[in-house]
Amino acid sequence: MIKQAVIVAGGLGSRFGNRTKEMPKGFIEIDGVAMVERSVQKLIAAGIEEIIIGTGHCSEYYDELAKKYHIIKTARNDNYANTSSMGTLAVCAPLIKGDFILLESDLIYDAVGLKVLQNDERANVILASGKSNSHDEVYLAANEDGVLNEVSKDKSIIPNPAGELVGITKISKACLDKMMAYYNSDKNLIKIDYENVLKAVSLAGEPVYVHKVEYYAWTEIDDESMLERATKEIWPRIQENESLLAIRREVLLNPGPSTTTDSVKYAQVVADICPRELEFGNLMEEVAEGLTEVCADPKDYISVMFGCSGTGADEAMVSSCVPPDGKLLVVDNGSYGARLAKIASVYNIDMDVFKSSTYEPIDIAALEKQMQSKKYTTFAIVYHETTTGLLNDLATICPMAKKYGMTTICDIVSAYGGMPIDLGKLGIDFATSTSNKHIGGMAGVGFVVCKRDELLKQKDWPMRNYYLNLYDQYKYFLETKQTRFTPPVQTFYALRQAIIETKVETVEKRFERFTECWEILVKALDEIGLKMLVDRKYQSHFITAILIPETPKYKFNELHDYARSFGFTIYPGKLGNIDTFRIANMGDIKPEEMTHFTCVLRDYMHSIGVC
């Protein structure tokens, strides 16, 4: 799996004249977005975790871009005026850890080209197109096996080309090492382009293959005439091609699973692989660490994953984390707290339940009084009660439980990944979540983020549960990089992509986006005259429970179907004694979509005489 990309962007772009005198060529915009930024976005969507940009002319532009996309690293070619693309690649080489995708900065291209290279099993592959009519073609020649053996702009040298150089290439680390050795072997090679170095190493025995896509939509942009052609001819083709692959947008305003990006959906489309292969074990290990980093320090915590829902993760945690002679205290202030208690009762775990209001804050003094008996070994609570949107004050409650010697086990399913969380600072020992909420993956992976030294205490405890036993799953994965039972393979690929996109956006920015959506909703509710169940100062900004209007004309199913006709899915309330419907801010929802939904909601309420 390729995790890095390199963009060579050191050139002067002198053929553009004044346009690029004080700006790199890669920052010329097509349809309002700089070429290089659009390339960064496509690389992220293709599962690239780190992008190295080799800079030179006006390098500060790329340094600013790296602040926006913190997965970018820049490496400056101080001698950019006297070198060419290979010189810029050379300054990036120390940062390259393995196989990578190499791109030029002045390209617009159909994203399918990245998939073509990623799906090609050969180590070194140049992406080529058929006849482009760009008037600045670089022709490639290859032998009968498709191995590169010539590169030239002179058609007379290559009368029957294997294709035209696009400027996107997959290169192995072994090939890069040989490219560097060749480049450094002769100081007269200082102005050589990377494609000619690829030809040299290919001829020397490190095969570089040419993969031709006959009607590939792409162009480089070196001057004003090429920019005009790109804008009028090539960019519309790219847009049309990529729109054909766009998946119909359904905005899920239910509490999960949540709306996902197309790139997460497409991440599932991979070659079949046996999950017992080391390659997949490495993927799961990478995912586990990424999940941990969202909410805890991997030095102290580890994520244990199962093929299950969030409730499965809750069951693994509750059934595994209470000592055989222990006693559990559970806070029940909604359906999900009640679910923790139900799980414990199924396993005949000695337990007391602290009942609290479903829509008002927990009485901390009363809860502490219950804890003070010191008869409890374990304390369980839900962070964000998805029933109502009430956010429990774990920053106060969990340290209080620790004060009384309890292990803390928390359902953070609908808070994880949507707001900044530090399990260590909160005093949480075990926390559950799932792949299909704020993290933005597909349903199918439940996990428990465990404080390692607390997990190790379970080593000799008798097992209450087989499939969902936490310590057994941890120990087996530690020793083998495998889960004990068949994992949901494609779901893990989607989850890896979701983690990448979470890191790019950051949890902090994601929370700001959810909050903006929540504020749009709350403002609309005030204007319509609908009331919320939970006081806004205690709400999570993720779930809003709305009291149904006092009119017999209101029918939830009618509201649901009307909203669905506009691409919005909503969910009824989950409280038996209070009639509500719920609106969630989760996943890939955008503020403009929430604005649209509030218009739909207002129209329905107006139709039944509410506003």
Side-chain angles (χ1 to χ4, degrees):
M1 181 171 289
I2 297 176
K3 300 180 181 180
Q4 286 185 302
V6 176
I7 300 175
V8 286
L12 286 162
S14 55
R15 288 160 65 180
F16 267 106
N18 286 334
R19 183 191 284 268
T20 54
K21 186 176 181 181
E22 296 181 356
M23 179 186 76
K25 182 168 54 170
F27 279 82
I28 291 173
E29 293 183 358
I30 302 289
D31 202 11
V33 179
M35 288 187 287
V36 70
E37 182 168 5
R38 183 170 278 117
S39 192
V40 166
Q41 293 168 350
K42 291 184 177 186
L43 288 166
I44 291 167
I48 297 299
E49 297 179 10
E50 182 178 76
I51 300 168
I52 302 163
I53 303 182
T55 70
H57 175 59
C58 295
S59 59
E60 64 274 10
Y61 275 75
Y62 293 103
D63 293 335
E64 284 299 311
L65 187 66
K67 293 177 183 177
K68 181 176 180 180
Y69 298 91
H70 53 272
I71 66 167
I72 293 176
K73 291 183 178 178
T74 59
R76 192 172 194 274
N77 177 10
D78 293 329
N79 197 26
Y80 67 89
N82 300 309
T83 61
S84 192
S85 58
M86 186 61 207
T88 301
L89 176 58
V91 302
C92 298
L95 299 175
I96 300 171
K97 303 165 191 169
D99 301 349
F100 65 103
I101 303 290
L102 177 66
L103 305 95
E104 297 173 21
S105 67
D106 56 353
L107 298 175
I108 59 169
Y109 57 91
D110 189 329
V112 74
L114 299 173
K115 291 296 184 185
V116 166
L117 293 183
Q118 290 172 316
N119 197 47
D120 196 312
E121 62 185 8
R122 297 169 297 185
N124 307 300
V125 186
I126 290 181
L127 183 64
S129 73
K131 188 175 178 63
S132 68
N133 299 312
S134 69
H135 304 298
D136 194 33
E137 298 91 343
V138 175
Y139 301 105
L140 305 172
N143 66 20
E144 62 275 11
D145 295 321
V147 177
L148 179 71
N149 58 21
E150 186 58 87
V151 178
S152 179
K153 287 191 171 187
D154 188 345
K155 187 72 177 289
S156 66
I157 294 175
I158 309 177
N160 298 301
E164 295 181 14
L165 178 73
V166 170
I168 309 175
T169 308
K170 180 173 70 171
I171 301 175
S172 68
K173 184 64 165 62
C175 182
L176 175 66
D177 292 342
K178 291 178 181 179
M179 292 174 72
M180 290 300 298
Y182 177 82
Y183 181 62
N184 292 325
S185 67
D186 186 345
K187 63 182 180 180
N188 293 319
L189 297 174
I190 190 168
K191 292 191 76 68
I192 195 170
D193 291 321
Y194 74 86
E195 60 264 31
N196 284 300
V197 178
L198 280 170
K199 178 190 78 172
V201 300
S202 186
L203 290 171
E206 178 71 31
V208 178
Y209 294 90
V210 177
H211 190 134
K212 181 180 178 182
V213 179
E214 182 68 44
Y215 300 108
Y216 186 57
W218 75 281
T219 188
E220 66 174 339
I221 302 174
D222 281 333
D223 58 31
E224 295 293 348
S225 65
M226 295 175 83
L227 176 59
E228 182 179 10
R229 174 176 173 270
T231 303
K232 292 182 177 179
E233 298 178 27
I234 307 302
W235 176 239
R237 277 185 61 202
I238 293 171
Q239 286 182 299
E240 182 179 9
N241 291 351
E242 293 185 348
S243 70
L244 293 174
L245 294 175
I247 299 169
R248 186 183 75 249
R249 180 78 170 174
E250 294 283 343
V251 180
L252 303 183
L253 300 178
N254 52 280
S258 59
T259 303
T260 57
T261 62
D262 282 5
S263 47
V264 164
K265 296 180 184 75
Y266 276 119
Q268 299 173 100
V269 185
V270 291
D272 290 331
I273 186 172
C274 174
R276 303 305 173 195
E277 290 293 324
L278 179 60
E279 176 187 342
F280 189 73
N282 289 337
L283 172 77
M284 288 195 292
E285 187 175 53
E286 176 189 339
V287 166
E289 184 168 350
L291 293 173
T292 304
E293 288 173 343
V294 170
C295 65
D297 188 337
K299 294 196 299 293
D300 301 320
Y301 287 80
I302 188 167
S303 291
V304 181
M305 305 174 297
F306 298 89
C308 67
S309 66
T311 299
D314 280 342
E315 185 164 343
M317 177 177 69
V318 172
S319 66
S320 299
C321 294
V322 182
D325 57 350
K327 185 162 186 174
L328 176 66
L329 175 61
V330 181
V331 172
D332 172 2
N333 64 337
S335 296
Y336 296 89
R339 186 175 298 180
L340 296 179
K342 177 66 174 178
I343 291 168
S345 70
V346 168
Y347 287 95
N348 295 314
I349 292 171
D350 190 11
M351 169 187 59
D352 286 337
V353 177
F354 180 87
K355 293 281 288 184
S356 181
S357 168
T358 56
Y359 57 90
E360 293 179 334
I362 293 168
D363 185 334
I364 301 294
L367 178 59
E368 182 168 21
K369 185 176 180 181
Q370 179 104 9
M371 290 178 175
Q372 281 173 338
S373 64
K374 298 186 179 179
K375 59 185 177 181
Y376 303 108
T377 59
T378 316
F379 174 72
I381 191 170
V382 174
Y383 196 175
H384 171 228
E385 183 45 75
T386 319
T387 319
T388 59
L390 180 65
L391 193 67
N392 289 324
D393 183 11
L394 296 200
T396 299
I397 293 170
C398 286
M400 188 169 72
K402 298 300 291 181
K403 181 175 72 172
Y404 293 108
M406 286 182 271
T407 298
T408 50
I409 65 174
C410 302
D411 174 327
I412 65 168
V413 168
S414 57
Y416 172 90
M419 59 185 285
I421 296 173
D422 186 326
L423 298 186
K425 289 182 179 178
L426 288 171
I428 298 174
D429 298 316
F430 297 89
T432 58
S433 193
T434 180
S435 55
N436 59 276
K437 297 278 190 179
H438 293 303
I439 197 69
M442 312 305 291
V445 177
F447 55 94
V448 187
V449 186
C450 312
K451 193 169 186 179
R452 190 178 283 101
D453 57 1
E454 290 292 332
L455 178 60
L456 294 177
K457 292 177 182 178
Q458 300 175 17
K459 178 176 181 293
D460 298 318
W461 293 0
M463 294 171 63
R464 292 192 184 94
N465 194 322
Y466 180 54
Y467 181 89
L468 294 172
N469 184 264
L470 205 53
Y471 181 79
D472 238 33
Q473 187 84 334
Y474 157 75
K475 181 174 180 290
Y476 191 83
F477 192 84
L478 187 68
E479 294 172 350
T480 66
K481 289 191 181 182
Q482 302 294 328
T483 53
R484 291 172 298 154
F485 310 102
T486 305
V489 174
Q490 284 74 21
T491 303
F492 269 99
Y493 283 99
L495 183 51
R496 174 185 176 268
Q497 180 65 29
I499 291 168
I500 290 170
E501 294 178 12
T502 300
K503 289 180 177 178
V504 168
E505 183 176 19
T506 74
V507 172
E508 291 77 12
K509 291 292 184 183
R510 186 163 288 183
F511 182 59
E512 290 177 12
R513 173 164 57 84
F514 292 146
T515 297
E516 184 178 354
C517 290
W518 177 79
E519 289 171 345
I520 291 167
L521 176 62
V522 169
K523 182 174 183 290
L525 295 177
D526 288 343
E527 292 170 353
I528 294 169
L530 293 172
K531 299 192 181 302
M532 298 180 289
L533 176 64
V534 177
D535 190 295
R536 64 190 68 191
K537 66 175 174 285
Y538 303 122
Q539 288 191 38
S540 62
H541 302 182
F542 305 139
I543 301 287
T544 304
I546 303 164
L547 295 168
I548 68 169
E550 295 179 357
T551 170
K553 293 182 179 180
Y554 169 81
K555 300 288 188 297
F556 173 77
N557 287 342
E558 290 180 0
L559 172 58
H560 170 275
D561 293 348
Y562 183 68
R564 188 73 194 279
S565 71
F566 291 93
F568 299 103
T569 299
I570 64 172
Y571 211 63
K574 204 163 182 164
L575 292 169
N577 58 340
I578 304 175
D579 289 329
T580 63
F581 63 94
R582 291 179 290 170
I583 303 301
N585 301 317
M586 290 185 172
D588 190 45
I589 183 174
K590 305 291 197 298
E592 57 269 24
E593 291 173 325
M594 183 58 80
T595 297
H596 183 196
F597 170 73
T598 60
C599 293
V600 172
L601 180 63
R602 184 180 283 106
D603 288 346
Y604 171 78
M605 292 299 168
H606 180 72
S607 75
I608 61 172
V610 172
C611 63

